[in-house]
Amino acid sequence: MRSFHLPRHAIISAPFTPMDENGDIAPDSVPRMVDFLVANGVKGAFICGSTGEGPSLTLSERKALFSAWGKASPTDFSTIAMTGGSCLPDAKELAHDAQDAGIQAIAIVPPGYFPVGSLESLVGYCQEIAATVPDMPVFYYHIPVLTGVSFSMFAFLQLAETRIPNLIGIKYSHSNLMDFQQCTRFRDGKYIMLWGRDEELLAALSMGADGAVGSTYNYHMPVYQKVLQAFEKGDIHGARFYQEKAIAAIALLHQYGGLSAGKAMMQMIGMDCGPVRSPLSAITPQARELLYEGLVAIGFFDECNAV
């Protein structure tokens, strides 16, 4: 199986998909994004996920992005491509394409339209996709707020471990820390557990997270590096202090538009990723101005990623 290795407490970006002013993808911008993330201490990229608007992209667009990230990423930069979704044949095709593009791992997101009726059917769905690329490391992407699929991941691992031999971990974007810790300890830490809620990074580290994947690592890595440094030194007060700085920026992100506000923040720091795609709404000029003023007030531009 293709190797997949992450340093301890690795931070992986969920990159925004670069788009031009017309809303078309701009894969030629990916090499600059890779250089930018590497320079700021990010250890990998979770491509075409929620932040990357993957479900709003066509198959050909996602394939073009997989190719761009595969070509631009250095060998020690871990790439994970999101597959899965509501169309099983498309998910299989994307898995093959990610493998051919040199992406290091795939992540399977469950169907979000027709309900997944049981844990058995969920594992069966993931098994079918994973079996098409048996040499490819596979993560399961647990994000109930978007998919509506909220089974225990501890129970998922117990059922999937013998049926999906190339399953190596979970991207866990949910608030159930008890379930998360059970997963971190399952089979003596066999599976890579990546935390997906940036505002709770410190809590996840205390529960045994191997690393994290998130959107705010695109522009606020200096603060998260200080969270990690303080945590690893046992300085819980320092870690809380810097986690609160991250939370202050995340609160503004939520207040002024989520993904569209995140793309505006990228533009503010000099890494323009273009607009969001419908059905997401563009940030208004007034909201953008208020967002900027809020970021200045919390000192964001003194501790943001450097271009």
Side-chain angles (χ1 to χ4, degrees), residues 179-230:
D179 182 51
F180 180 77
Q181 185 176 34
Q182 287 181 300
C183 293
T184 68
R185 298 176 64 82
F186 182 62
R187 299 286 185 239
D188 295 320
K190 173 182 177 181
Y191 293 97
I192 300 170
M193 296 301 299
L194 301 175
W195 186 250
R197 292 168 60 94
D198 308 3
E199 60 270 37
E200 298 161 0
L201 174 62
L202 179 56
L205 290 171
S206 71
M207 291 293 194
D210 295 298
V213 178
S215 66
T216 64
Y217 309 133
N218 287 298
Y219 45 74
H220 218 185
M221 269 298 288
V223 166
Y224 289 107
Q225 286 173 328
K226 290 174 182 176
V227 172
L228 290 173
Q229 290 164 4

mmCIF file of all heavy atoms in Angstrom, residues 179-230:
data_model
loop_
_atom_site.group_PDB
_atom_site.id
_atom_site.type_symbol
_atom_site.label_atom_id
_atom_site.label_comp_id
_atom_site.label_asym_id
_atom_site.label_seq_id
_atom_site.Cartn_x
_atom_site.Cartn_y
_atom_site.Cartn_z
ATOM 1 N N ASP A 179 -16.407 9.848 21.892
ATOM 2 C CA ASP A 179 -16.279 8.941 20.754
ATOM 3 C C ASP A 179 -14.910 9.099 20.104
ATOM 4 O O ASP A 179 -14.252 8.116 19.737
ATOM 5 C CB ASP A 179 -17.400 9.236 19.759
ATOM 6 C CG ASP A 179 -17.394 8.325 18.551
ATOM 7 O OD1 ASP A 179 -17.356 7.102 18.728
ATOM 8 O OD2 ASP A 179 -17.450 8.847 17.414
ATOM 9 N N PHE A 180 -14.461 10.349 19.969
ATOM 10 C CA PHE A 180 -13.163 10.618 19.354
ATOM 11 C C PHE A 180 -12.037 9.943 20.142
ATOM 12 O O PHE A 180 -11.158 9.289 19.564
ATOM 13 C CB PHE A 180 -12.922 12.126 19.280
ATOM 14 C CG PHE A 180 -11.600 12.514 18.671
ATOM 15 C CD1 PHE A 180 -11.400 12.458 17.309
ATOM 16 C CD2 PHE A 180 -10.547 12.922 19.476
ATOM 17 C CE1 PHE A 180 -10.179 12.807 16.743
ATOM 18 C CE2 PHE A 180 -9.323 13.282 18.924
ATOM 19 C CZ PHE A 180 -9.137 13.213 17.555
ATOM 20 N N GLN A 181 -12.061 10.074 21.469
ATOM 21 C CA GLN A 181 -10.981 9.465 22.249
ATOM 22 C C GLN A 181 -11.021 7.947 22.174
ATOM 23 O O GLN A 181 -9.975 7.295 22.115
ATOM 24 C CB GLN A 181 -11.024 9.913 23.704
ATOM 25 C CG GLN A 181 -9.819 9.360 24.482
ATOM 26 C CD GLN A 181 -9.745 9.853 25.901
ATOM 27 O OE1 GLN A 181 -10.752 10.072 26.540
ATOM 28 N NE2 GLN A 181 -8.525 10.022 26.401
ATOM 29 N N GLN A 182 -12.222 7.376 22.140
ATOM 30 C CA GLN A 182 -12.302 5.923 21.975
ATOM 31 C C GLN A 182 -11.630 5.489 20.672
ATOM 32 O O GLN A 182 -10.958 4.459 20.627
ATOM 33 C CB GLN A 182 -13.769 5.484 21.992
ATOM 34 C CG GLN A 182 -14.412 5.537 23.367
ATOM 35 C CD GLN A 182 -15.859 5.066 23.321
ATOM 36 O OE1 GLN A 182 -16.692 5.653 22.620
ATOM 37 N NE2 GLN A 182 -16.161 4.018 24.051
ATOM 38 N N CYS A 183 -11.798 6.308 19.635
ATOM 39 C CA CYS A 183 -11.154 5.994 18.351
ATOM 40 C C CYS A 183 -9.637 6.111 18.449
ATOM 41 O O CYS A 183 -8.906 5.294 17.867
ATOM 42 C CB CYS A 183 -11.673 6.928 17.268
ATOM 43 S SG CYS A 183 -13.404 6.696 16.833
ATOM 44 N N THR A 184 -9.137 7.129 19.172
ATOM 45 C CA THR A 184 -7.685 7.301 19.282
ATOM 46 C C THR A 184 -7.035 6.127 20.001
ATOM 47 O O THR A 184 -5.866 5.815 19.752
ATOM 48 C CB THR A 184 -7.314 8.603 20.014
ATOM 49 O OG1 THR A 184 -7.705 8.523 21.397
ATOM 50 C CG2 THR A 184 -7.937 9.819 19.365
ATOM 51 N N ARG A 185 -7.771 5.472 20.882
ATOM 52 C CA ARG A 185 -7.215 4.375 21.676
ATOM 53 C C ARG A 185 -7.515 2.996 21.097
ATOM 54 O O ARG A 185 -6.994 1.995 21.591
ATOM 55 C CB ARG A 185 -7.748 4.469 23.113
ATOM 56 C CG ARG A 185 -7.321 5.756 23.814
ATOM 57 C CD ARG A 185 -7.938 5.877 25.204
ATOM 58 N NE ARG A 185 -7.468 4.831 26.097
ATOM 59 C CZ ARG A 185 -6.322 4.858 26.767
ATOM 60 N NH1 ARG A 185 -5.503 5.893 26.627
ATOM 61 N NH2 ARG A 185 -5.974 3.879 27.571
ATOM 62 N N PHE A 186 -8.335 2.939 20.063
ATOM 63 C CA PHE A 186 -8.724 1.663 19.484
ATOM 64 C C PHE A 186 -7.514 0.940 18.891
ATOM 65 O O PHE A 186 -6.719 1.524 18.153
ATOM 66 C CB PHE A 186 -9.781 1.896 18.394
ATOM 67 C CG PHE A 186 -10.296 0.642 17.756
ATOM 68 C CD1 PHE A 186 -10.966 -0.311 18.500
ATOM 69 C CD2 PHE A 186 -10.122 0.419 16.397
ATOM 70 C CE1 PHE A 186 -11.458 -1.469 17.913
ATOM 71 C CE2 PHE A 186 -10.609 -0.735 15.793
ATOM 72 C CZ PHE A 186 -11.273 -1.680 16.562
ATOM 73 N N ARG A 187 -7.366 -0.319 19.244
ATOM 74 C CA ARG A 187 -6.252 -1.151 18.763
ATOM 75 C C ARG A 187 -4.904 -0.458 18.996
ATOM 76 O O ARG A 187 -4.033 -0.426 18.135
ATOM 77 C CB ARG A 187 -6.415 -1.497 17.286
ATOM 78 C CG ARG A 187 -7.666 -2.297 16.972
ATOM 79 C CD ARG A 187 -7.537 -3.732 17.430
ATOM 80 N NE ARG A 187 -8.686 -4.510 17.027
ATOM 81 C CZ ARG A 187 -9.501 -5.165 17.856
ATOM 82 N NH1 ARG A 187 -9.263 -5.117 19.181
ATOM 83 N NH2 ARG A 187 -10.522 -5.859 17.421
ATOM 84 N N ASP A 188 -4.762 0.102 20.202
ATOM 85 C CA ASP A 188 -3.500 0.765 20.592
ATOM 86 C C ASP A 188 -3.101 1.878 19.631
ATOM 87 O O ASP A 188 -1.923 2.045 19.278
ATOM 88 C CB ASP A 188 -2.367 -0.268 20.700
ATOM 89 C CG ASP A 188 -2.605 -1.281 21.812
ATOM 90 O OD1 ASP A 188 -3.091 -0.865 22.884
ATOM 91 O OD2 ASP A 188 -2.310 -2.465 21.608
ATOM 92 N N GLY A 189 -4.090 2.657 19.208
ATOM 93 C CA GLY A 189 -3.793 3.804 18.347
ATOM 94 C C GLY A 189 -3.489 3.435 16.913
ATOM 95 O O GLY A 189 -2.716 4.126 16.235
ATOM 96 N N LYS A 190 -4.108 2.380 16.420
ATOM 97 C CA LYS A 190 -3.835 1.895 15.058
ATOM 98 C C LYS A 190 -4.189 2.926 13.995
ATOM 99 O O LYS A 190 -3.503 3.040 12.972
ATOM 100 C CB LYS A 190 -4.627 0.606 14.819
ATOM 101 C CG LYS A 190 -4.558 0.079 13.389
ATOM 102 C CD LYS A 190 -5.414 -1.174 13.227
ATOM 103 C CE LYS A 190 -5.423 -1.667 11.787
ATOM 104 N NZ LYS A 190 -6.271 -2.881 11.629
ATOM 105 N N TYR A 191 -5.253 3.696 14.219
ATOM 106 C CA TYR A 191 -5.774 4.588 13.185
ATOM 107 C C TYR A 191 -5.359 6.038 13.422
ATOM 108 O O TYR A 191 -5.299 6.504 14.562
ATOM 109 C CB TYR A 191 -7.298 4.468 13.104
ATOM 110 C CG TYR A 191 -7.742 3.108 12.610
ATOM 111 C CD1 TYR A 191 -8.113 2.095 13.503
ATOM 112 C CD2 TYR A 191 -7.741 2.814 11.248
ATOM 113 C CE1 TYR A 191 -8.491 0.840 13.049
ATOM 114 C CE2 TYR A 191 -8.124 1.557 10.781
ATOM 115 C CZ TYR A 191 -8.492 0.577 11.682
ATOM 116 O OH TYR A 191 -8.848 -0.670 11.230
ATOM 117 N N ILE A 192 -5.088 6.747 12.319
ATOM 118 C CA ILE A 192 -4.708 8.158 12.384
ATOM 119 C C ILE A 192 -5.975 8.981 12.579
ATOM 120 O O ILE A 192 -6.869 8.971 11.726
ATOM 121 C CB ILE A 192 -3.988 8.592 11.091
ATOM 122 C CG1 ILE A 192 -2.719 7.776 10.878
ATOM 123 C CG2 ILE A 192 -3.665 10.094 11.130
ATOM 124 C CD1 ILE A 192 -2.092 7.981 9.507
ATOM 125 N N MET A 193 -6.048 9.699 13.700
ATOM 126 C CA MET A 193 -7.236 10.487 14.012
ATOM 127 C C MET A 193 -6.919 11.967 13.833
ATOM 128 O O MET A 193 -6.119 12.549 14.569
ATOM 129 C CB MET A 193 -7.704 10.193 15.437
ATOM 130 C CG MET A 193 -8.172 8.755 15.651
ATOM 131 S SD MET A 193 -9.562 8.276 14.580
ATOM 132 C CE MET A 193 -10.811 9.439 15.109
ATOM 133 N N LEU A 194 -7.548 12.554 12.827
ATOM 134 C CA LEU A 194 -7.327 13.956 12.475
ATOM 135 C C LEU A 194 -8.545 14.776 12.887
ATOM 136 O O LEU A 194 -9.664 14.495 12.458
ATOM 137 C CB LEU A 194 -7.089 14.095 10.971
ATOM 138 C CG LEU A 194 -5.899 13.328 10.404
ATOM 139 C CD1 LEU A 194 -5.851 13.447 8.882
ATOM 140 C CD2 LEU A 194 -4.595 13.834 11.017
ATOM 141 N N TRP A 195 -8.321 15.779 13.715
ATOM 142 C CA TRP A 195 -9.417 16.594 14.233
ATOM 143 C C TRP A 195 -9.798 17.660 13.210
ATOM 144 O O TRP A 195 -8.936 18.282 12.594
ATOM 145 C CB TRP A 195 -8.997 17.246 15.546
ATOM 146 C CG TRP A 195 -10.117 17.994 16.221
ATOM 147 C CD1 TRP A 195 -10.239 19.336 16.352
ATOM 148 C CD2 TRP A 195 -11.257 17.416 16.865
ATOM 149 N NE1 TRP A 195 -11.402 19.641 17.045
ATOM 150 C CE2 TRP A 195 -12.044 18.480 17.367
ATOM 151 C CE3 TRP A 195 -11.695 16.104 17.060
ATOM 152 C CZ2 TRP A 195 -13.243 18.276 18.054
ATOM 153 C CZ3 TRP A 195 -12.899 15.896 17.749
ATOM 154 C CH2 TRP A 195 -13.646 16.960 18.235
ATOM 155 N N GLY A 196 -11.108 17.906 13.045
ATOM 156 C CA GLY A 196 -11.575 18.789 12.000
ATOM 157 C C GLY A 196 -12.306 20.032 12.455
ATOM 158 O O GLY A 196 -12.934 20.709 11.635
ATOM 159 N N ARG A 197 -12.229 20.371 13.756
ATOM 160 C CA ARG A 197 -12.883 21.583 14.255
ATOM 161 C C ARG A 197 -11.806 22.470 14.880
ATOM 162 O O ARG A 197 -11.379 22.241 16.013
ATOM 163 C CB ARG A 197 -13.978 21.228 15.261
ATOM 164 C CG ARG A 197 -15.169 20.508 14.619
ATOM 165 C CD ARG A 197 -16.110 19.914 15.661
ATOM 166 N NE ARG A 197 -16.659 20.914 16.544
ATOM 167 C CZ ARG A 197 -17.846 21.529 16.365
ATOM 168 N NH1 ARG A 197 -18.591 21.214 15.310
ATOM 169 N NH2 ARG A 197 -18.287 22.421 17.223
ATOM 170 N N ASP A 198 -11.377 23.480 14.144
ATOM 171 C CA ASP A 198 -10.217 24.284 14.532
ATOM 172 C C ASP A 198 -10.406 24.960 15.890
ATOM 173 O O ASP A 198 -9.451 25.117 16.652
ATOM 174 C CB ASP A 198 -9.934 25.360 13.482
ATOM 175 C CG ASP A 198 -9.833 24.805 12.076
ATOM 176 O OD1 ASP A 198 -10.037 23.593 11.892
ATOM 177 O OD2 ASP A 198 -9.545 25.583 11.161
ATOM 178 N N GLU A 199 -11.641 25.372 16.188
ATOM 179 C CA GLU A 199 -11.910 26.078 17.430
ATOM 180 C C GLU A 199 -11.746 25.195 18.665
ATOM 181 O O GLU A 199 -11.700 25.696 19.791
ATOM 182 C CB GLU A 199 -13.326 26.675 17.403
ATOM 183 C CG GLU A 199 -14.456 25.676 17.244
ATOM 184 C CD GLU A 199 -14.831 25.391 15.798
ATOM 185 O OE1 GLU A 199 -13.935 25.344 14.940
ATOM 186 O OE2 GLU A 199 -16.041 25.210 15.534
ATOM 187 N N GLU A 200 -11.629 23.877 18.454
ATOM 188 C CA GLU A 200 -11.487 22.929 19.563
ATOM 189 C C GLU A 200 -10.193 22.124 19.446
ATOM 190 O O GLU A 200 -10.084 21.024 19.989
ATOM 191 C CB GLU A 200 -12.697 21.990 19.596
ATOM 192 C CG GLU A 200 -14.013 22.718 19.840
ATOM 193 C CD GLU A 200 -15.228 21.906 19.434
ATOM 194 O OE1 GLU A 200 -15.053 20.760 18.951
ATOM 195 O OE2 GLU A 200 -16.357 22.412 19.572
ATOM 196 N N LEU A 201 -9.213 22.666 18.771
ATOM 197 C CA LEU A 201 -7.960 21.933 18.572
ATOM 198 C C LEU A 201 -7.340 21.512 19.890
ATOM 199 O O LEU A 201 -6.918 20.360 20.055
ATOM 200 C CB LEU A 201 -6.964 22.786 17.780
ATOM 201 C CG LEU A 201 -5.553 22.194 17.630
ATOM 202 C CD1 LEU A 201 -5.581 20.881 16.871
ATOM 203 C CD2 LEU A 201 -4.616 23.189 16.957
ATOM 204 N N LEU A 202 -7.265 22.414 20.845
ATOM 205 C CA LEU A 202 -6.616 22.107 22.120
ATOM 206 C C LEU A 202 -7.306 20.955 22.833
ATOM 207 O O LEU A 202 -6.652 20.058 23.374
ATOM 208 C CB LEU A 202 -6.583 23.348 23.004
ATOM 209 C CG LEU A 202 -5.957 23.173 24.397
ATOM 210 C CD1 LEU A 202 -4.537 22.632 24.306
ATOM 211 C CD2 LEU A 202 -5.988 24.498 25.153
ATOM 212 N N ALA A 203 -8.626 20.949 22.827
ATOM 213 C CA ALA A 203 -9.369 19.855 23.455
ATOM 214 C C ALA A 203 -9.047 18.529 22.773
ATOM 215 O O ALA A 203 -8.849 17.500 23.432
ATOM 216 C CB ALA A 203 -10.867 20.135 23.396
ATOM 217 N N ALA A 204 -8.977 18.547 21.454
ATOM 218 C CA ALA A 204 -8.691 17.315 20.712
ATOM 219 C C ALA A 204 -7.274 16.817 20.983
ATOM 220 O O ALA A 204 -7.040 15.608 21.082
ATOM 221 C CB ALA A 204 -8.897 17.552 19.224
ATOM 222 N N LEU A 205 -6.324 17.729 21.096
ATOM 223 C CA LEU A 205 -4.958 17.323 21.422
ATOM 224 C C LEU A 205 -4.924 16.598 22.765
ATOM 225 O O LEU A 205 -4.237 15.584 22.924
ATOM 226 C CB LEU A 205 -4.043 18.552 21.468
ATOM 227 C CG LEU A 205 -3.750 19.236 20.127
ATOM 228 C CD1 LEU A 205 -3.009 20.553 20.362
ATOM 229 C CD2 LEU A 205 -2.929 18.328 19.213
ATOM 230 N N SER A 206 -5.681 17.103 23.719
ATOM 231 C CA SER A 206 -5.699 16.479 25.041
ATOM 232 C C SER A 206 -6.344 15.099 25.004
ATOM 233 O O SER A 206 -6.104 14.269 25.881
ATOM 234 C CB SER A 206 -6.428 17.373 26.048
ATOM 235 O OG SER A 206 -7.821 17.398 25.793
ATOM 236 N N MET A 207 -7.172 14.843 23.968
ATOM 237 C CA MET A 207 -7.836 13.553 23.815
ATOM 238 C C MET A 207 -7.054 12.607 22.906
ATOM 239 O O MET A 207 -7.524 11.518 22.596
ATOM 240 C CB MET A 207 -9.249 13.755 23.246
ATOM 241 C CG MET A 207 -10.213 14.418 24.212
ATOM 242 S SD MET A 207 -10.571 13.354 25.637
ATOM 243 C CE MET A 207 -11.999 14.198 26.331
ATOM 244 N N GLY A 208 -5.874 13.031 22.455
ATOM 245 C CA GLY A 208 -5.016 12.125 21.706
ATOM 246 C C GLY A 208 -5.012 12.306 20.212
ATOM 247 O O GLY A 208 -4.587 11.393 19.474
ATOM 248 N N ALA A 209 -5.433 13.454 19.699
ATOM 249 C CA ALA A 209 -5.436 13.688 18.255
ATOM 250 C C ALA A 209 -4.028 13.539 17.679
ATOM 251 O O ALA A 209 -3.053 14.024 18.251
ATOM 252 C CB ALA A 209 -5.977 15.084 17.942
ATOM 253 N N ASP A 210 -3.934 12.881 16.541
ATOM 254 C CA ASP A 210 -2.649 12.741 15.845
ATOM 255 C C ASP A 210 -2.303 13.983 15.042
ATOM 256 O O ASP A 210 -1.134 14.239 14.745
ATOM 257 C CB ASP A 210 -2.693 11.534 14.907
ATOM 258 C CG ASP A 210 -2.854 10.227 15.668
ATOM 259 O OD1 ASP A 210 -1.960 9.906 16.467
ATOM 260 O OD2 ASP A 210 -3.880 9.548 15.470
ATOM 261 N N GLY A 211 -3.322 14.730 14.673
ATOM 262 C CA GLY A 211 -3.133 15.929 13.872
ATOM 263 C C GLY A 211 -4.467 16.594 13.660
ATOM 264 O O GLY A 211 -5.466 16.247 14.303
ATOM 265 N N ALA A 212 -4.514 17.546 12.748
ATOM 266 C CA ALA A 212 -5.738 18.299 12.519
ATOM 267 C C ALA A 212 -5.827 18.740 11.075
ATOM 268 O O ALA A 212 -4.814 18.944 10.407
ATOM 269 C CB ALA A 212 -5.791 19.512 13.442
ATOM 270 N N VAL A 213 -7.071 18.886 10.608
ATOM 271 C CA VAL A 213 -7.355 19.394 9.267
ATOM 272 C C VAL A 213 -8.347 20.536 9.410
ATOM 273 O O VAL A 213 -9.366 20.385 10.094
ATOM 274 C CB VAL A 213 -7.968 18.315 8.354
ATOM 275 C CG1 VAL A 213 -8.287 18.887 6.979
ATOM 276 C CG2 VAL A 213 -7.062 17.106 8.240
ATOM 277 N N GLY A 214 -8.067 21.685 8.787
ATOM 278 C CA GLY A 214 -9.027 22.771 8.905
ATOM 279 C C GLY A 214 -8.751 23.929 7.976
ATOM 280 O O GLY A 214 -7.665 24.059 7.404
ATOM 281 N N SER A 215 -9.751 24.803 7.859
ATOM 282 C CA SER A 215 -9.656 25.935 6.940
ATOM 283 C C SER A 215 -8.838 27.083 7.499
ATOM 284 O O SER A 215 -8.156 27.789 6.746
ATOM 285 C CB SER A 215 -11.059 26.436 6.588
ATOM 286 O OG SER A 215 -11.706 26.978 7.722
ATOM 287 N N THR A 216 -8.889 27.298 8.822
ATOM 288 C CA THR A 216 -8.226 28.491 9.360
ATOM 289 C C THR A 216 -6.714 28.348 9.405
ATOM 290 O O THR A 216 -6.002 29.328 9.615
ATOM 291 C CB THR A 216 -8.776 28.859 10.751
ATOM 292 O OG1 THR A 216 -8.480 27.837 11.688
ATOM 293 C CG2 THR A 216 -10.270 29.086 10.705
ATOM 294 N N TYR A 217 -6.217 27.142 9.157
ATOM 295 C CA TYR A 217 -4.766 26.959 9.060
ATOM 296 C C TYR A 217 -4.228 27.592 7.773
ATOM 297 O O TYR A 217 -3.020 27.767 7.626
ATOM 298 C CB TYR A 217 -4.403 25.473 9.113
ATOM 299 C CG TYR A 217 -5.021 24.750 10.290
ATOM 300 C CD1 TYR A 217 -5.671 23.526 10.135
ATOM 301 C CD2 TYR A 217 -4.979 25.302 11.563
ATOM 302 C CE1 TYR A 217 -6.251 22.870 11.209
ATOM 303 C CE2 TYR A 217 -5.566 24.652 12.638
ATOM 304 C CZ TYR A 217 -6.202 23.434 12.453
ATOM 305 O OH TYR A 217 -6.788 22.802 13.523
ATOM 306 N N ASN A 218 -5.124 27.932 6.861
ATOM 307 C CA ASN A 218 -4.717 28.621 5.639
ATOM 308 C C ASN A 218 -4.198 30.028 5.908
ATOM 309 O O ASN A 218 -3.431 30.562 5.103
ATOM 310 C CB ASN A 218 -5.904 28.726 4.670
ATOM 311 C CG ASN A 218 -6.254 27.408 4.014
ATOM 312 O OD1 ASN A 218 -5.452 26.829 3.302
ATOM 313 N ND2 ASN A 218 -7.464 26.934 4.253
ATOM 314 N N TYR A 219 -4.647 30.635 7.007
ATOM 315 C CA TYR A 219 -4.287 32.035 7.250
ATOM 316 C C TYR A 219 -3.903 32.376 8.677
ATOM 317 O O TYR A 219 -3.565 33.512 8.962
ATOM 318 C CB TYR A 219 -5.420 32.977 6.798
ATOM 319 C CG TYR A 219 -6.813 32.544 7.211
ATOM 320 C CD1 TYR A 219 -7.258 32.661 8.528
ATOM 321 C CD2 TYR A 219 -7.685 32.029 6.265
ATOM 322 C CE1 TYR A 219 -8.531 32.266 8.890
ATOM 323 C CE2 TYR A 219 -8.965 31.627 6.620
ATOM 324 C CZ TYR A 219 -9.392 31.747 7.932
ATOM 325 O OH TYR A 219 -10.660 31.348 8.281
ATOM 326 N N HIS A 220 -3.907 31.398 9.585
ATOM 327 C CA HIS A 220 -3.641 31.720 10.990
ATOM 328 C C HIS A 220 -2.662 30.743 11.639
ATOM 329 O O HIS A 220 -2.697 30.523 12.848
ATOM 330 C CB HIS A 220 -4.973 31.722 11.771
ATOM 331 C CG HIS A 220 -5.063 32.788 12.804
ATOM 332 N ND1 HIS A 220 -6.129 32.895 13.677
ATOM 333 C CD2 HIS A 220 -4.223 33.807 13.138
ATOM 334 C CE1 HIS A 220 -5.956 33.924 14.484
ATOM 335 N NE2 HIS A 220 -4.808 34.487 14.179
ATOM 336 N N MET A 221 -1.766 30.161 10.864
ATOM 337 C CA MET A 221 -0.856 29.144 11.382
ATOM 338 C C MET A 221 0.050 29.623 12.518
ATOM 339 O O MET A 221 0.325 28.847 13.444
ATOM 340 C CB MET A 221 -0.002 28.574 10.247
ATOM 341 C CG MET A 221 -0.617 27.358 9.601
ATOM 342 S SD MET A 221 -0.828 25.941 10.713
ATOM 343 C CE MET A 221 0.877 25.416 10.929
ATOM 344 N N PRO A 222 0.565 30.849 12.514
ATOM 345 C CA PRO A 222 1.439 31.254 13.627
ATOM 346 C C PRO A 222 0.787 31.073 14.994
ATOM 347 O O PRO A 222 1.457 30.689 15.969
ATOM 348 C CB PRO A 222 1.736 32.724 13.325
ATOM 349 C CG PRO A 222 1.667 32.812 11.837
ATOM 350 C CD PRO A 222 0.527 31.909 11.463
ATOM 351 N N VAL A 223 -0.507 31.338 15.085
ATOM 352 C CA VAL A 223 -1.216 31.175 16.357
ATOM 353 C C VAL A 223 -1.350 29.694 16.707
ATOM 354 O O VAL A 223 -1.121 29.284 17.851
ATOM 355 C CB VAL A 223 -2.589 31.859 16.298
ATOM 356 C CG1 VAL A 223 -3.484 31.414 17.456
ATOM 357 C CG2 VAL A 223 -2.416 33.376 16.337
ATOM 358 N N TYR A 224 -1.704 28.869 15.727
ATOM 359 C CA TYR A 224 -1.856 27.438 16.010
ATOM 360 C C TYR A 224 -0.514 26.789 16.339
ATOM 361 O O TYR A 224 -0.456 25.851 17.159
ATOM 362 C CB TYR A 224 -2.518 26.736 14.821
ATOM 363 C CG TYR A 224 -3.976 27.085 14.671
ATOM 364 C CD1 TYR A 224 -4.402 27.916 13.637
ATOM 365 C CD2 TYR A 224 -4.925 26.621 15.568
ATOM 366 C CE1 TYR A 224 -5.743 28.252 13.502
ATOM 367 C CE2 TYR A 224 -6.264 26.952 15.443
ATOM 368 C CZ TYR A 224 -6.661 27.768 14.412
ATOM 369 O OH TYR A 224 -7.988 28.103 14.281
ATOM 370 N N GLN A 225 0.558 27.247 15.728
ATOM 371 C CA GLN A 225 1.868 26.724 16.093
ATOM 372 C C GLN A 225 2.183 27.009 17.559
ATOM 373 O O GLN A 225 2.783 26.189 18.252
ATOM 374 C CB GLN A 225 2.934 27.323 15.170
ATOM 375 C CG GLN A 225 2.900 26.735 13.770
ATOM 376 C CD GLN A 225 3.838 27.442 12.811
ATOM 377 O OE1 GLN A 225 4.079 28.645 12.924
ATOM 378 N NE2 GLN A 225 4.375 26.702 11.858
ATOM 379 N N LYS A 226 1.737 28.168 18.048
ATOM 380 C CA LYS A 226 1.947 28.492 19.455
ATOM 381 C C LYS A 226 1.062 27.651 20.365
ATOM 382 O O LYS A 226 1.465 27.291 21.476
ATOM 383 C CB LYS A 226 1.709 29.986 19.684
ATOM 384 C CG LYS A 226 2.793 30.857 19.050
ATOM 385 C CD LYS A 226 2.470 32.341 19.152
ATOM 386 C CE LYS A 226 3.538 33.183 18.466
ATOM 387 N NZ LYS A 226 3.204 34.629 18.460
ATOM 388 N N VAL A 227 -0.138 27.311 19.903
ATOM 389 C CA VAL A 227 -0.980 26.372 20.652
ATOM 390 C C VAL A 227 -0.250 25.042 20.800
ATOM 391 O O VAL A 227 -0.144 24.476 21.905
ATOM 392 C CB VAL A 227 -2.337 26.151 19.943
ATOM 393 C CG1 VAL A 227 -3.114 25.022 20.637
ATOM 394 C CG2 VAL A 227 -3.168 27.424 19.932
ATOM 395 N N LEU A 228 0.280 24.531 19.684
ATOM 396 C CA LEU A 228 0.983 23.247 19.699
ATOM 397 C C LEU A 228 2.232 23.297 20.568
ATOM 398 O O LEU A 228 2.489 22.383 21.364
ATOM 399 C CB LEU A 228 1.368 22.846 18.272
ATOM 400 C CG LEU A 228 0.239 22.442 17.336
ATOM 401 C CD1 LEU A 228 0.764 22.243 15.926
ATOM 402 C CD2 LEU A 228 -0.444 21.179 17.829
ATOM 403 N N GLN A 229 3.018 24.348 20.412
ATOM 404 C CA GLN A 229 4.252 24.466 21.194
ATOM 405 C C GLN A 229 3.963 24.504 22.691
ATOM 406 O O GLN A 229 4.633 23.839 23.483
ATOM 407 C CB GLN A 229 5.015 25.712 20.759
ATOM 408 C CG GLN A 229 5.621 25.608 19.366
ATOM 409 C CD GLN A 229 6.025 26.955 18.787
ATOM 410 O OE1 GLN A 229 5.923 27.992 19.456
ATOM 411 N NE2 GLN A 229 6.488 26.961 17.549
ATOM 412 N N ALA A 230 2.959 25.281 23.083
ATOM 413 C CA ALA A 230 2.612 25.366 24.505
ATOM 414 C C ALA A 230 2.081 24.027 25.009
ATOM 415 O O ALA A 230 2.454 23.567 26.103
ATOM 416 C CB ALA A 230 1.574 26.469 24.717
#
